[in-house]
Amino acid sequence: MKKLAAIFFLTTYLFSSTEAGELLKLPLVFLHFTEHKQENCRISLLQFLDMHYMHGSPKDKDFDRDMQLPFKSLAHYAASITSTFIPLLTEMSVQPDDGVLLDQPVPLQTLPSFASGFHALVWQPPRIC
């Protein structure tokens, strides 16, 4: 029973907060491929995938149908980002005790620079001191 509950919760998490839910659209790939196959009987599955995933999203006659394919739209991804990350408050105006509002915003914190290389240190080999 514990294993079944763990599988249920893991599956629920994966499909709700990651892009794994896009895999549910996989049958649309094959349906759309058969549509292209009816138009051009010489197209292969690799040519179809190359046309739809390696060259961006050109606005052609079946653009709306193309955007229904898995991993083509970022709607779910954008929703998960906005629900996951909380915007950082970097400035605010403070009202002193005498009731006068400050003209200049007061910085609350400095944002870390992601180019600092600190996170890259994890991937360095061990050093002998």
Side-chain angles (χ1 to χ4, degrees):
M1 185 65 178
K2 287 182 183 180
K3 185 176 181 180
L4 184 63
I7 290 172
F8 172 75
F9 286 121
L10 180 63
T11 305
T12 303
Y13 169 74
L14 287 175
F15 282 104
S16 65
S17 62
T18 66
E19 290 297 310
E22 290 288 311
L23 295 176
L24 296 174
K25 296 181 183 178
L26 200 57
L28 291 175
V29 172
F30 297 107
L31 284 172
H32 195 53
F33 173 66
T34 56
E35 293 170 359
H36 276 272
K37 192 79 167 166
Q38 290 173 355
E39 291 178 10
N40 179 8
C41 62
R42 302 185 76 192
I43 190 169
S44 69
L45 182 62
L46 288 177
Q47 290 172 334
F48 170 80
L49 293 174
D50 179 59
M51 179 190 329
H52 285 84
Y53 288 100
M54 302 307 267
H55 299 290
S57 299
K59 292 218 178 208
D60 53 1
K61 62 181 178 177
D62 65 343
F63 177 76
D64 293 332
R65 184 81 168 140
D66 292 344
M67 296 313 289
Q68 294 174 356
L69 295 174
F71 305 106
K72 290 294 278 185
S73 65
L74 296 176
H76 179 270
Y77 179 69
S80 67
I81 285 180
T82 55
S83 65
T84 304
F85 296 112
I86 299 171
L88 297 173
L89 181 64
T90 58
E91 294 180 350
M92 71 177 260
S93 298
V94 178
Q95 187 174 4
D97 291 336
D98 60 358
V100 178
L101 191 63
L102 295 176
D103 292 333
Q104 298 295 327
V106 178
L108 295 178
Q109 67 183 15
T110 58
L111 295 175
S113 172
F114 292 106
S116 68
F118 172 74
H119 301 291
L121 294 176
V122 174
W123 305 111
Q124 299 296 320
R127 296 182 185 169
I128 299 174
C129 294

